[in-house]
Amino acid sequence: MRGVVFDGKQAQVVGDLEIREPGPGEVLVAIAAAGLCHSDLSVIDGTIPFPPPVVLGHEGAGVVEAVGAGVTHVAPGDHVSLSTLANCGACADCDRGRPTMCRKAIGMPDRPFSRAGQPLFQFASNSAFAERTLVKAVQAVKIPEDVPLTSAALIGCGVLTGVGAVLNRAKVGLGETVVVIGTGGIGLNVIQGARIAGASVIVAVDANPAKEAVARQFGATHFVDASTVPDTSAAVREVLPTGADHAFECVGNVRLIRQAVDLLDRHGQAVLLGVPGFKEEASFLVSSMYLDKTIMGCRYGSSRPQHDIALYAELYRQGKLLLDELVTEVYPVEDFAKAVDDAHHGRVARGVLTF
């Protein structure tokens, strides 16, 4: 079968992947569509260290092909959106409703794929850039069949992370104010999460002026073009003179992390979603924190995928959550290199690979 493999030096589309049958508690899914996220690119450029060879992709949706023993919540033929969270369901964190903190879901990649007899790792317990993938049952969430799979694919990473950061982690309240730094796939979902939460002011900041139209479409009330404004913080302060209740950094730049902290009002929260290099450090004025400000990390939108994916699919059906509008371009998997180039140059909000 076809898939995208990173061998430690380059990523390429291959046609000779094999995958084993599902074991107990596993689900075999025929992937229909998969979003290209910057986390996949970060594996290729080394920002996210991951052992090669690995089948890439982690934002996918498809149709259940087979299930292993003990799987009852999905069956062959069901449409599913996949999460990357292979949590155990039995530890203290899972029991507290914090599956993103499950230690068994972090840093233990399986190798269900093979190629010419050599085992290949699975990225993010998912590997959606393959015609078929194998996931734990908890990762497969049944969705209505009237949700297009090209759109449903994006729920499993970008939507869970961005919307979840607003609703689950920051818990943005009705009438509060929000600044979103970076309006890529994650940033747009933060924006629409803030809109759904009822934020009164949503300021989007990006260095690409072409992003303004889509940012406003998703719910931004104001847009600051960082490529033309001499002082981005001053431009934001023109809209929010005392600062924001919530600032989300969605780029992964330590300078912008500092900016997010500096843009907070008293009792404000800076939420970090972008991923800098793993050894990078950020600074802030310690004295400013005594105004009850908070810097918050956020893993995967602090989500509960079985609950949240189903909720977001329903919000989409009600017209409250934008998914189709996130899909800027659809590529056959053979055009993976073009999809990567478009993502690198900011030509797409999200490119989606299809099989």
Side-chain angles (χ1 to χ4, degrees):
M1 65 180 183
R2 293 169 296 164
V4 179
V5 174
F6 177 61
D7 63 6
K9 296 181 180 179
Q10 64 176 346
Q12 60 179 332
V13 180
V14 303
D16 57 350
L17 280 180
E18 296 182 353
I19 192 167
R20 63 174 174 80
E21 292 298 313
E26 295 179 332
V27 179
L28 181 67
V29 179
I31 296 294
L36 177 59
C37 173
H38 277 280
S39 293
D40 299 301
L41 304 180
S42 293
V43 174
I44 297 172
D45 68 21
T47 302
I48 295 178
F50 204 90
V54 57
V55 180
L56 295 176
H58 65 285
E59 189 179 67
V63 180
V64 175
E65 223 173 65
V67 300
V71 178
T72 59
H73 75 291
V74 293
D78 285 346
H79 286 207
V80 292
S81 179
L82 303 181
S83 89
T84 65
L85 203 59
N87 59 295
C88 72
C91 67
D93 283 307
C94 286
D95 189 54
R96 294 187 185 107
R98 302 188 308 204
T100 57
M101 296 296 103
C102 175
R103 285 172 170 78
K104 293 186 178 180
I106 302 172
M108 290 181 286
D110 197 3
R111 294 195 286 183
F113 298 95
S114 62
R115 186 182 180 210
Q118 179 188 22
L120 285 79
F121 285 105
Q122 185 174 38
F123 179 52
S125 302
N126 190 304
S127 289
F129 291 169
E131 287 187 72
R132 292 173 183 81
T133 194
L134 198 62
V135 296
K136 289 182 64 173
V138 71
Q139 296 176 255
V141 183
K142 186 176 178 179
I143 58 172
E145 292 188 10
D146 60 359
V147 180
L149 290 172
T150 48
S151 297
L154 305 187
I155 299 177
C157 179
V159 177
L160 275 181
T161 299
V163 177
V166 174
L167 302 183
N168 301 328
R169 187 69 170 119
K171 299 186 187 299
V172 172
L174 184 66
E176 292 186 328
T177 59
V178 172
V179 173
V180 182
I181 301 173
T183 60
I186 300 299
L188 289 176
N189 280 296
V190 171
I191 289 170
Q192 70 170 335
R195 170 178 53 78
I196 291 168
S200 60
V201 176
I202 305 170
V203 182
V205 181
D206 202 286
N208 183 351
K211 297 287 188 72
E212 180 173 1
V214 68
R216 291 186 180 275
Q217 180 184 22
F218 275 70
T221 60
H222 300 76
F223 185 86
V224 173
D225 179 0
S227 69
T228 60
V229 175
D231 186 341
T232 303
S233 294
V236 174
R237 290 280 182 177
E238 290 181 9
V239 181
L240 298 170
T242 63
D245 296 314
H246 309 273
F248 296 83
E249 200 282 342
C250 305
V251 179
N253 180 296
V254 294
R255 179 182 61 82
L256 297 179
I257 289 172
R258 169 61 182 268
Q259 184 179 76
V261 175
D262 290 344
L263 283 172
L264 294 177
D265 197 354
R266 299 182 179 201
H267 202 70
Q269 298 180 145
V271 184
L272 311 186
L273 296 175
V275 182
F278 272 51
K279 293 186 178 181
E280 290 193 62
E281 298 180 357
S283 65
F284 60 91
L285 287 174
V286 176
S287 59
S288 72
M289 304 308 292
Y290 296 107
L291 294 173
D292 283 3
K293 297 181 183 182
T294 304
I295 301 173
M296 308 173 74
C298 183
R299 180 171 189 255
Y300 203 42
S302 301
S303 61
R304 295 173 294 155
Q306 284 291 333
H307 171 273
D308 291 354
I309 289 176
L311 170 63
Y312 299 157
E314 183 56 33
L315 290 177
Y316 165 81
R317 298 174 81 201
Q318 295 175 10
K320 297 176 181 177
L321 183 79
L322 304 182
L323 291 180
D324 302 341
E325 295 81 358
L326 283 168
V327 183
T328 314
E329 191 75 39
V330 177
Y331 311 83
V333 68
E334 288 79 9
D335 286 347
F336 174 73
K338 183 179 187 303
V340 169
D341 188 67
D342 286 348
H344 271 309
H345 289 90
R347 301 185 191 110
V348 293
R350 232 358 166 241
V352 174
L353 303 177
T354 57
F355 292 87

